[in-house]
Amino acid sequence: MLSIRRTKPGWPAALAVALMAMAAGGAAYAQDAAAATNAVAEATNTVAQAAAEVVSNVKAEKSGVDLVWTIVCAFLVFFMQAGFALVETGLTRAKNACNIIMKNLLDFAMASVGFFVLGFGLMFGDSNGFCGSTLFGLSGVGGNDWGYTFFLFQLVFAGTTATIVSGAMAERTKFTSYMVYSGIVTLVVYPIFGHWAWGNLLDGDTDNGVWLAAKGFTDFAGSTVVHSIGGWLALAGLSLQAASRAL
């Protein structure tokens, strides 16, 4: 009688089957992991693009808001001209009211022309160690919204500096003499000292060779660059008047 003997598989066969199963499972897992990684990468790119677009929009809006706020502040400073005219008219005799008002009007007109032609360049142009040497007549500022806005903002401060003296020397100077003084202040005196302290504000990421600011000098609201310069000029003018009367 023929008998069939059942044989048990050996451990090498079992090991081979196990390895095949593991390989198949590993391949499937690798495919799933790769797909998941690609999906995460696509989602990350989408989020990054959306975030970059949001940041760009925010920067654009911020730039616009900065320009509007700077212009509003410039207008507020400009109205100091009206304030000076009123207070000086109230502190002088009635016969000199027109003279005082015309001084406050025309010194800003002189400041506008002088600061545009020469003063802005001396104050904010590329420094030669003493004053600016570029940007005269706003050359090189074209096509830059911030440049024009910044010019307007600084112009009203230049006009304010010149106007401070008019009250100190009210009723004591000839009209033509005051106009000459106003032109000199906004053409040379204020821009050069302003360059030493504020000459790096147009491009705030560089020091522009501004020696006083490089030493740590800070003037946020013009207490030195505007009001102190105007005060010292007024004192100098009064001193000259006193000396001329003594003669």
Side-chain angles (χ1 to χ4, degrees):
M1 182 177 179
L2 182 62
S3 63
I4 300 175
R5 187 174 61 180
R6 182 178 297 176
T7 60
K8 295 181 180 181
W11 65 267
L15 180 60
V17 172
L19 291 175
M20 292 176 61
M22 291 176 62
Y29 175 79
Q31 292 177 354
D32 293 340
T37 302
N38 292 334
V40 170
E42 292 178 0
T44 302
N45 291 334
T46 302
V47 171
Q49 291 175 358
E53 184 176 355
V54 170
V55 170
S56 177
N57 292 336
V58 170
K59 286 183 177 180
E61 293 295 331
K62 180 180 181 298
S63 176
V65 171
D66 288 345
L67 293 178
V68 172
W69 176 243
T70 304
I71 292 173
V72 170
C73 292
F75 291 158
L76 292 175
V77 176
F78 175 72
F79 274 104
M80 291 176 66
Q81 298 290 130
F84 281 126
L86 293 175
V87 71
E88 292 168 19
T89 301
L91 294 175
T92 55
R93 290 171 291 180
K95 68 175 186 177
N96 293 315
C98 290
N99 180 275
I100 290 296
I101 292 175
M102 286 300 294
K103 282 182 177 179
N104 279 272
L105 174 64
L106 291 183
D107 69 355
F108 189 83
M110 292 286 293
S112 299
V113 176
F115 199 67
F116 169 80
V117 174
L118 185 64
F120 187 80
L122 290 176
M123 191 167 179
F124 297 105
D126 294 338
S127 180
N128 58 14
F130 180 74
C131 62
S133 58
T134 58
L135 303 182
F136 300 117
L138 296 187
S139 61
V141 182
N144 187 342
D145 293 337
W146 169 244
Y148 292 125
T149 303
F150 187 76
F151 167 76
L152 176 63
F153 185 71
Q154 293 298 330
L155 169 62
V156 296
F157 279 106
T160 300
T161 304
T163 307
I164 290 174
V165 185
S166 65
M169 298 191 297
E171 299 184 316
R172 298 179 177 89
T173 55
K174 292 183 178 180
F175 185 81
T176 53
S177 300
Y178 178 78
M179 288 297 100
V180 171
Y181 142 83
S182 181
I184 294 174
V185 170
T186 53
L187 274 171
V188 181
V189 179
Y190 170 78
I192 290 179
F193 181 77
H195 178 76
W196 298 346
W198 284 351
N200 59 343
L201 295 184
L202 180 59
D203 297 315
D205 57 339
T206 62
D207 60 10
N208 194 28
V210 180
W211 70 270
L212 191 58
K215 291 182 179 295
F217 178 83
T218 302
D219 186 350
F220 291 107
S223 59
T224 300
V225 178
V226 179
H227 300 286
S228 180
I229 290 295
W232 288 114
L233 290 169
L235 179 61
L238 292 173
S239 300
L240 290 174
Q241 288 177 340
S244 64
R245 290 184 179 184
L247 296 175

